[in-house]
Amino acid sequence: MSDTFHISTRIRENAEQLSAALQDHMEKVFAPNATKDLRHFSASEAADLLSISASFLRKLHFDGRAPDVDTSAGGRRHYSAQDLLDIRQMLEAGAKKPGTYIKGRRPGDKVQVLSFLNFKGGSGKTTSTIHTAQRLALKGYRVLCVDIDPQASLTTLFGFRPEVDFLETGTVYDAIRYDAPLPFRSIIQPTFFTGIDLAPAGLLLQEFEHETPRALMANAQPPFFARLATVLQDVEANYDVIVFDCPPQLGYLTLSALCASTGLLITIVPNMLDVASMSQFLQMSADLLDVVSNAGAKMEFDFLRFLINRYEPNDGPQQQVVAFLRQLFGDEVMVAPMLKSTAISDAGLTHQTVYEVDRTQFHRNTYDRAVDSLNMVNDEIELLIQKAWGR
């Protein structure tokens, strides 16, 4: 008896089994309604995010200026992300200098559009994207995450199931497709994370890569490289920062994101194989961007930075690679690297980030080390955004 099988049938069966298992896992993690909720923050975390002292935060409550928040039996206060936003708005209303507590866009500021990208998979693009978006949102910025990776990892981290949740509303593909696109604002989803909206991805995004060559021959307008920039104009007034999670390839989707961006963050794991891959990526990017620039794309960036990812400070070869990159690129290599951490990977097992999980779920030193690393990276990115706005 033959053991041969039709490969498409077997792959489809595997996909169905995996989808069912992931759905079961999601329901167990986020029971009973299979949706995510953001944890509350301690008083010390709240004070840090608000850039005030813990004693001043206590005084705000004593004076009746801060809203009532959840309080434990022992009298400890716990703050939701909405509580933080309400307190921030109250502080800003009474501040002598505008922008003291709410540091987003002001009249005349352009929206900052950041692309996280690399040619090589496994460089930490999605991890970097979501942690940056969440840190900025916790600090009062209005953030839109745009997932343009057909694998939809960013979308999944926000608690959605790409294969079933957007059948009615659509994904980024439906907004940028060449045939009867949907308004971009109609596909944007609110998320469980206060301050963040999501333009979700799905497998259909891959069709954009297949359809673009035909669209080029038909001279479809706007051209592929301008489609994301064009649809963002519909919603950009609602946000301070827009972040793209790009696919691990230099295709039409990535080029379209680059042409819509004001800042580029290239993630790089410090080993020579990844550096060699990045060399090819940079050369190909430059060549292709020259082509689209000559075709009329607007290519003006406020900054480009290399973000060292999954860095192990005690790894000698990694130290040498980082020193090599700093010698080559100077200030374009970010000062703060993102450390390799079991806290980040363990949080991912439950589709969470380090900012979402409670400190008590980890060894204190492990958690603090991960959070400190992420904060330094993301606060450096915030400074780049502020500088782009002339502050």
Side-chain angles (χ1 to χ4, degrees):
M1 182 175 178
S2 173
D3 290 330
T4 60
F5 56 87
H6 197 287
I7 187 64
S8 64
T9 301
R10 177 61 58 84
I11 290 175
R12 187 171 290 107
E13 291 173 351
N14 292 342
E16 291 171 354
Q17 289 174 337
L18 183 57
S19 178
L22 289 172
Q23 171 63 16
D24 182 63
H25 173 70
M26 184 77 79
E27 290 178 349
K28 288 179 180 177
V29 172
F30 306 121
N33 56 3
T35 59
K36 297 184 74 173
D37 292 308
L38 181 59
R39 71 176 176 91
H40 283 49
F41 298 87
S42 68
S44 61
E45 289 176 311
D48 174 70
L49 289 166
L50 293 166
S51 300
I52 61 177
S53 67
S55 60
F56 183 54
L57 181 57
R58 287 194 298 271
K59 188 175 186 303
L60 291 176
H61 286 286
F62 182 79
D63 294 341
R65 297 172 61 196
D68 291 334
V69 299
D70 287 345
T71 306
S72 67
R76 294 183 180 274
R77 294 186 178 92
H78 302 278
Y79 300 78
S80 69
Q82 185 61 50
D83 291 334
L84 295 178
L85 183 59
D86 292 342
I87 295 171
R88 190 181 299 278
Q89 291 173 340
M90 179 273 295
L91 290 170
E92 179 67 20
K96 295 180 180 179
K97 182 180 179 182
T100 301
Y101 297 99
I102 296 181
K103 299 181 180 179
R105 294 169 69 189
R106 302 175 194 168
D109 291 340
K110 65 182 178 183
V111 65
Q112 285 296 301
V113 185
L114 313 182
S115 280
F116 289 79
L117 69 158
N118 198 316
F119 186 63
K120 197 173 188 296
S123 64
K125 288 185 293 76
T126 301
T127 300
S128 301
T129 302
I130 193 166
H131 281 100
T132 297
Q134 291 183 346
R135 176 70 172 175
L136 290 173
L138 288 171
K139 297 188 77 173
Y141 293 82
R142 302 168 301 163
V143 182
L144 173 65
C145 288
V146 183
D147 192 353
I148 59 168
D149 186 346
Q151 298 176 83
S153 296
L154 183 67
T155 300
T156 302
L157 279 172
F158 278 107
F160 294 104
R161 298 160 297 166
E163 69 278 11
V164 298
D165 283 342
F166 312 115
L167 298 179
E168 299 295 329
T169 56
T171 67
V172 171
Y173 169 73
D174 296 288
I176 63 172
R177 67 191 185 197
Y178 296 98
D179 179 26
L182 297 177
F184 193 67
R185 63 177 63 248
S186 72
I187 63 101
I188 291 177
Q189 303 286 332
T191 74
F192 72 97
F193 207 105
T194 300
I196 300 181
D197 290 338
L198 173 72
L203 279 175
L204 271 178
L205 260 174
Q206 193 61 37
E207 293 300 310
F208 186 77
E209 301 289 347
H210 301 152
E211 294 166 357
T212 294
R214 295 194 298 272
L216 285 170
M217 293 179 63
N219 196 31
Q221 296 297 320
F224 78 90
F225 56 80
R227 295 189 82 80
L228 280 171
T230 299
V231 298
L232 286 183
Q233 293 175 5
D234 185 36
V235 300
E236 66 175 35
N238 300 327
Y239 303 100
D240 303 308
V241 181
I242 299 172
V243 294
F244 282 116
D245 185 27
C246 298
Q249 62 188 52
L250 193 57
Y252 297 116
L253 284 166
T254 299
L255 285 171
S256 187
L258 290 178
C259 293
S261 297
T262 61
L264 305 183
L265 292 145
I266 300 174
T267 57
I268 175 68
V269 179
N271 64 62
M272 290 311 295
L273 283 177
D274 283 73
V275 171
S277 174
M278 186 179 71
S279 174
Q280 299 174 37
F281 167 76
L282 293 175
Q283 185 59 58
M284 293 173 62
S285 299
D287 293 342
L288 290 172
L289 289 173
D290 279 343
V291 172
V292 296
S293 179
N294 291 334
K298 188 177 180 181
M299 307 299 297
E300 295 179 357
F301 298 99
D302 293 317
F303 59 86
L304 177 152
R305 291 294 186 275
F306 296 95
L307 170 55
I308 305 298
N309 222 319
R310 298 182 180 175
Y311 179 57
E312 298 181 75
N314 296 324
D315 186 314
Q318 283 201 1
Q319 291 180 358
Q320 293 178 32
V321 172
V322 171
F324 171 71
L325 291 171
R326 293 193 189 283
Q327 183 179 12
L328 280 178
F329 300 125
D331 291 342
E332 289 191 333
V333 179
M334 290 183 61
V335 174
M338 187 175 290
L339 301 183
K340 183 177 182 180
S341 172
T342 55
I344 296 175
S345 55
D346 287 354
L349 293 174
T350 53
H351 293 175
Q352 292 179 290
T353 70
V354 171
Y355 292 135
E356 297 171 36
V357 297
D358 194 270
R359 188 185 189 197
T360 58
Q361 297 181 35
F362 297 93
H363 187 281
R364 178 179 298 179
N365 291 339
T366 301
Y367 179 84
D368 290 346
R369 179 174 175 268
V371 168
D372 288 345
S373 169
L374 289 164
N375 287 350
M376 286 190 290
V377 168
N378 294 324
D379 291 351
E380 188 174 340
I381 292 172
E382 183 188 10
L383 288 175
L384 291 170
I385 292 170
Q386 291 289 321
K387 184 178 180 181
W389 285 332
R391 301 173 201 162

